[in-house]
Amino acid sequence: MFKKAVYFALLAGTYAQSNGTIDLADPEPGNWGGNIGKAATKHYNDFDYEVFMNDSYIPRPYRYELGSDYTVNENVMMDRQSPDTLAPPTVDFGSIENPRWHMSDSYNRLAIGGYARQQTVKDLPVAVDIAGVDMKLEPGAFRESHWHEQSEWAYMFSGRVIISAINPDGQTFMGELGPGDVWFFPSSYIHSIQALEDGAEFLLIFDSGEFDENSTFLSAEALSRIPKSVINKNFGLAKDATDFDNIPAQQLYIFRGEMPIPSFEEQKKSINNPFGMMENQTLLFPLSQMPWDEYDGGRVRIVDSSNFNAPSLDITVAQIQLDSGSLRTLHWHETAEWDFIISGTLRATIYAGNGNSRTYDFNAMDVGYIEANNLHYLECVSEEPCEFLAAFKTSKYNDFEFGQFVTATPRYTIQQHLRITDETFDAIQESVANKQIIVPNNCK
């Protein structure tokens, strides 16, 4: 009872502090400390790396003297995925709308030829700007030709596909993509995706959280809902013609195509379009061939309107790889950030203003969503390197680096705010002044 009373007293004390942290001295037997006027001490903010580095380590719902142990059965597997939610560092304060969704919790729509599982605003209410779909096609399978209100950006995980689309001028686009490549379909473009001999898996990103993979406009289904006489009249056939009598009665959605698959060249030659092919713009970006921007601790490459000449491009994506222990530095964006974790485990503390901050752990196949202007970092805390895609609803990538703010602002101003010495200012100047995006694990 005494411990709980002290704990709640400490929490109450945080409301009187402008920085939203619990001010505790290094713990001594029987003494919770005062330390008023300083940020929370190291011991209470230390991150427990053994959670990630030791498979036998079991997270507990306490951090030093804060919290208490379980009295009911714990879910160890979930706790290991979210140890900083189970035992938050004391820098966490206030409330932030949940920014994390496990794609493994998404309902998986299975089809003869593949599957699709999605994350929409119904799953992650904070993610109003972007939704995502993980889709797998078996060899020769199609995602039925379709169109939708939202724009679609895609990243190839594995295999190869042939894509085709029609623009509003009636011109055709065709492309063949492999692992690491990207396509973009603007709103309302009818398009199809066909996996080649090895099948394919890819991530789809849409420019609205309201998108629903199960509510697209499907080409074959569309004709099945039109009177036969109208179909025949539309295509210049006799009123009682039977040419379209075999239209599928149900959605194809994902389905197997006939084998063998015609080559890309054969399929392109079969197009007889008087309006021709798209020539001045493209819907394909060979990201797999793009050089990385290398940093000590990782690498970055960015696809936006500066290098991807796609019509109406409104989704920008950064592909980021972090070495174990490296940090995507403290920053914010003018638009929300939608992250998809490809590999590794990332930790992020999100500061949402007015004292509100929370720390989260993101694992492979997780989706993270960070609202516009929220300060955050992404730290690779797994032994394996981390890789993720950061998507933004904008045509041009932008970020604001906190380190650059510190070194590009008058020294007197910064020292009055952060209370750092000239020696500290000089020491950090070189490392962050050039808008460093990634820093290595340099804390010993």
Side-chain angles (χ1 to χ4, degrees):
M1 189 70 184
F2 171 76
K3 184 174 182 179
K4 286 186 177 180
V6 173
Y7 177 55
F8 286 116
L10 285 166
L11 290 181
T14 65
Y15 288 92
Q17 300 175 33
S18 61
N19 62 6
T21 60
I22 300 176
D23 290 339
L24 297 173
D26 292 346
E28 298 175 1
N31 178 23
W32 282 77
N35 201 28
I36 301 301
K38 296 182 180 180
T41 59
K42 175 182 176 182
H43 288 296
Y44 284 89
N45 287 315
D46 267 350
F47 293 122
D48 298 319
Y49 282 91
E50 59 266 36
V51 174
F52 305 100
M53 304 301 184
N54 184 351
D55 291 339
S56 64
Y57 186 87
I58 299 177
R60 314 308 298 174
Y62 52 76
R63 187 178 291 269
Y64 294 89
E65 295 185 26
L66 300 177
S68 184
D69 206 355
Y70 285 112
T71 56
V72 296
N73 291 331
E74 64 264 37
N75 187 331
V76 176
M77 291 182 64
M78 288 300 295
D79 289 345
R80 284 190 58 82
Q81 292 183 30
S82 305
D84 288 304
T85 301
L86 178 69
T90 55
V91 293
D92 285 14
F93 183 80
S95 179
I96 291 180
E97 193 169 0
N98 175 46
R100 179 183 56 205
W101 175 256
H102 304 294
M103 193 67 84
S104 298
D105 286 335
S106 295
Y107 178 82
N108 203 3
R109 180 174 177 178
L110 306 182
I112 299 177
Y115 64 75
R117 53 183 178 173
Q118 66 181 7
Q119 169 273 310
T120 73
V121 73
K122 293 179 181 179
D123 306 304
L124 191 59
V126 69
V128 296
D129 284 347
I130 295 179
V133 176
D134 170 37
M135 184 172 290
K136 174 69 184 300
L137 299 180
E138 290 290 298
F142 282 90
R143 169 63 169 99
E144 180 178 353
S145 296
H146 64 286
W147 67 97
H148 33 71
E149 177 184 348
Q150 298 82 9
S151 297
E152 171 184 316
W153 191 98
Y155 176 83
M156 288 286 297
F157 288 134
S158 64
R160 299 192 69 81
V161 298
I162 291 176
I163 60 171
S164 63
I166 309 296
N167 69 11
D169 295 328
Q171 297 172 322
T172 301
F173 180 86
M174 276 194 69
E176 182 175 343
L177 302 88
D181 290 337
V182 167
W183 74 71
F184 178 78
F185 297 131
S187 169
S188 301
Y189 278 43
I190 186 169
H191 55 278
S192 65
I193 309 161
Q194 181 185 21
L196 298 182
E197 287 78 5
D198 294 329
E201 184 173 1
F202 42 87
L203 177 70
L204 304 174
I205 299 174
F206 300 89
D207 67 351
S208 171
E210 298 288 345
F211 174 82
D212 189 337
E213 179 65 22
N214 302 311
S215 300
T216 58
F217 299 89
L218 306 175
S219 61
E221 181 186 57
L223 281 193
S224 74
R225 299 296 183 261
I226 302 298
K228 179 180 176 181
S229 62
V230 174
I231 294 175
N232 288 337
K233 183 182 293 186
N234 186 81
F235 289 102
L237 302 173
K239 184 176 181 180
D240 57 353
T242 61
D243 301 68
F244 284 88
D245 280 7
N246 294 321
I247 297 172
Q250 297 179 338
Q251 287 187 5
L252 293 173
Y253 184 64
I254 292 175
F255 66 99
R256 290 175 179 163
E258 295 181 356
M259 304 290 276
I261 305 168
S263 69
F264 176 82
E265 291 74 18
E266 291 174 315
Q267 294 195 45
K268 190 171 183 179
K269 287 179 181 178
S270 72
I271 298 172
N272 183 20
N273 185 356
F275 294 97
M277 307 293 289
M278 280 182 59
E279 295 180 351
N280 296 325
Q281 291 184 298
T282 181
L283 303 180
L284 182 159
F285 187 84
L287 179 60
S288 61
Q289 302 173 30
M290 181 180 178
W292 293 89
D293 291 332
E294 297 285 348
Y295 294 87
D296 187 7
R299 54 213 55 83
V300 179
R301 50 189 181 188
I302 296 170
V303 182
D304 64 9
S305 57
S306 67
N307 52 21
F308 189 7
N309 185 29
S312 306
L313 183 69
D314 67 346
I315 299 174
T316 290
V317 176
Q319 182 180 12
I320 301 174
Q321 294 180 352
L322 295 175
D323 299 338
S324 179
S326 293
L327 186 75
R328 169 63 179 101
T329 51
L330 283 167
H331 66 286
W332 67 94
H333 307 273
E334 63 181 3
T335 54
E337 174 179 336
W338 185 94
D339 294 321
F340 186 88
I341 315 307
I342 297 175
S343 61
T345 298
L346 291 164
R347 172 185 285 123
T349 298
I350 302 170
Y351 167 67
N354 197 31
N356 295 301
S357 64
R358 289 284 180 88
T359 302
Y360 300 91
D361 307 297
F362 300 93
N363 301 280
M365 298 301 293
D366 280 357
V367 170
Y369 192 85
I370 302 168
E371 294 189 83
N373 293 301
N374 284 5
L375 179 71
H376 61 284
Y377 64 87
L378 291 154
E379 181 184 21
C380 183
V381 294
S382 54
E383 285 188 323
E384 65 174 315
C386 298
E387 181 173 3
F388 63 99
L389 299 173
F392 309 87
K393 188 177 178 179
T394 181
S395 63
K396 190 72 169 64
Y397 178 85
N398 71 82
D399 64 18
F400 297 88
E401 294 290 330
F402 195 87
Q404 187 188 32
F405 150 71
V406 171
T407 58
T409 299
R411 179 174 296 216
Y412 172 80
T413 298
I414 295 300
Q415 289 180 320
Q416 292 299 302
H417 282 73
L418 304 182
R419 303 177 186 180
I420 60 176
T421 66
D422 284 328
E423 290 75 18
T424 299
F425 198 101
D426 292 338
I428 66 175
Q429 176 79 32
E430 183 177 352
S431 64
V432 297
N434 294 319
K435 203 170 184 178
Q436 188 82 350
I437 292 178
I438 296 172
V439 294
N441 184 14
N442 53 9
C443 295
K444 305 301 182 182

